[in-house]
Amino acid sequence: MRIIKIIFWTLWRIWFYIVIAFFIVLLFPFLLISILREEWYGYFFVMARIWAKGILFAMGFQYKIEREHEIEQRKSYMIIANHTSMIDIMLMLAIERNPFVFVGKKELAAIPLFGFFYKRTCILVDRNNSKSRFAVYDRAQKRLNQGLSICIFPEGGVPDESVVLDEFKDGAFRLAIEHHIPIVPMTFADNKKRLSYTFLSGSPGLLRAMVHNSIETKGLSLDNKKELKDKARSIILNQLKKYNP
């Protein structure tokens, strides 16, 4: 039985990367055209959502989204979520219809095909370089001025699988306060179980997610950063406990 599971998990992982590449190749002409001009990002975002939904479907994932809050069109937000899986990006794109830009680690730009578009459309940060971290603020401001939202996974990476929810980094909350934009926390319940970073694991099935009420930042200063960060983390942590008591 163990041998059968190992074979399934191995083929499952190989299939995942095949599917990612297949949909990039399929959509390549449209993706390429959409990144030629920065103001065409909205078209790229539509293609990215098709790519994400195609991957989720091909992997046998269904998603169930509960919403306490509907994100308004033509309004900028700071979108955050717990980070547990390689499919967090896909689920985030599938959930949110209004264009947003990911802030992510620069190492992902080295992934063939995916990295080509990733480094041209996302705000990349080198977490070991203070100059790179500060540059994020200027690039985020430019995107916000274009009416886009920003998406950050505030744990700063994928924590050890024994950790339910890691401590949050400051970046997302500093940006939200400085740019006076609401924070929308999201909770991903099943991504770790469905496709974690452990190679011999995963299976098709349901992906549950909750879009929580937004947290306003108007009137807050950087002195409120820790309070804001703790509040957002508590919302996600409490929801994770409800999903998996």
Side-chain angles (χ1 to χ4, degrees):
M1 187 66 178
R2 177 68 179 173
I3 296 297
I4 294 174
K5 285 185 177 181
I6 290 174
I7 293 171
F8 169 79
W9 283 324
T10 302
L11 294 175
W12 174 250
R13 294 291 166 150
I14 293 172
W15 174 243
F16 176 64
Y17 293 112
I18 289 173
V19 167
I20 289 177
F22 170 79
F23 280 104
I24 291 178
V25 171
L26 181 67
L27 297 169
F28 189 85
F30 307 102
L31 291 168
L32 189 61
I33 291 170
S34 68
I35 65 170
L36 292 178
R37 299 182 64 173
E38 203 168 76
E39 57 266 33
W40 292 351
Y41 182 82
Y43 299 111
F44 171 83
F45 187 78
V46 171
M47 293 298 108
R49 294 194 73 221
I50 294 171
W51 170 80
K53 290 183 176 184
I55 292 169
L56 295 178
F57 175 79
M59 293 298 293
F61 297 135
Q62 307 89 45
Y63 47 92
K64 179 182 178 183
I65 314 302
E66 298 178 87
R67 296 180 186 270
E68 296 176 341
H69 174 81
E70 286 289 344
I71 290 180
E72 298 176 30
Q73 293 185 3
R74 294 179 291 278
K75 182 175 179 179
S76 296
Y77 295 86
M78 174 61 67
I79 303 170
I80 64 170
N82 55 312
H83 200 11
T84 61
S85 169
M86 292 178 281
I87 57 172
D88 292 342
I89 290 173
M90 292 81 171
L91 185 58
M92 183 68 77
L93 285 166
I95 288 174
E96 185 45 50
R97 298 179 292 271
N98 295 308
F100 63 83
V101 176
F102 284 107
V103 174
K105 54 186 180 181
K106 71 167 190 175
E107 290 81 1
L108 294 181
I111 300 174
L113 282 178
F114 173 84
F116 176 82
F117 293 102
Y118 175 80
K119 66 185 177 184
R120 288 165 175 79
T121 56
C122 299
I123 300 173
L124 273 57
V125 58
D126 180 354
R127 300 187 190 279
N128 298 316
N129 185 316
S130 58
K131 185 177 179 181
S132 173
R133 293 199 303 271
F134 282 114
V136 168
Y137 295 97
D138 291 335
R139 296 178 67 188
Q141 177 66 71
K142 186 176 181 181
R143 290 302 200 174
L144 291 168
N145 289 342
Q146 294 169 345
L148 302 173
S149 293
I150 303 294
C151 178
I152 296 179
F153 296 105
E155 290 166 280
V158 178
D160 184 271
E161 296 214 1
S162 62
V163 177
V164 176
L165 186 66
D166 210 347
E167 295 300 320
F168 284 0
K169 309 295 184 186
D170 290 344
F173 307 95
R174 183 185 184 95
L175 276 169
I177 290 172
E178 289 186 341
H179 297 299
H180 312 293
I181 55 174
I183 296 171
V184 177
M186 297 187 187
T187 303
F188 297 163
D190 307 297
N191 293 14
K192 184 190 293 186
K193 177 171 62 177
R194 295 297 171 215
L195 197 76
S196 75
Y197 278 84
T198 298
F199 188 81
L200 297 179
S201 67
S203 65
L206 182 65
L207 303 173
R208 294 168 295 170
M210 171 68 80
V211 180
H212 298 281
N213 285 320
S214 62
I215 306 171
E216 284 296 333
T217 62
K218 289 180 180 178
L220 300 184
S221 70
L222 291 179
D223 292 335
N224 304 112
K225 183 175 59 182
K226 185 179 186 306
E227 176 188 346
L228 184 65
K229 180 173 65 173
D230 290 345
K231 180 177 181 179
R233 185 176 182 275
S234 294
I235 289 170
I236 294 175
L237 182 59
N238 289 336
Q239 186 63 41
L240 285 171
K241 291 176 179 177
K242 290 178 183 177
Y243 277 134
N244 302 296

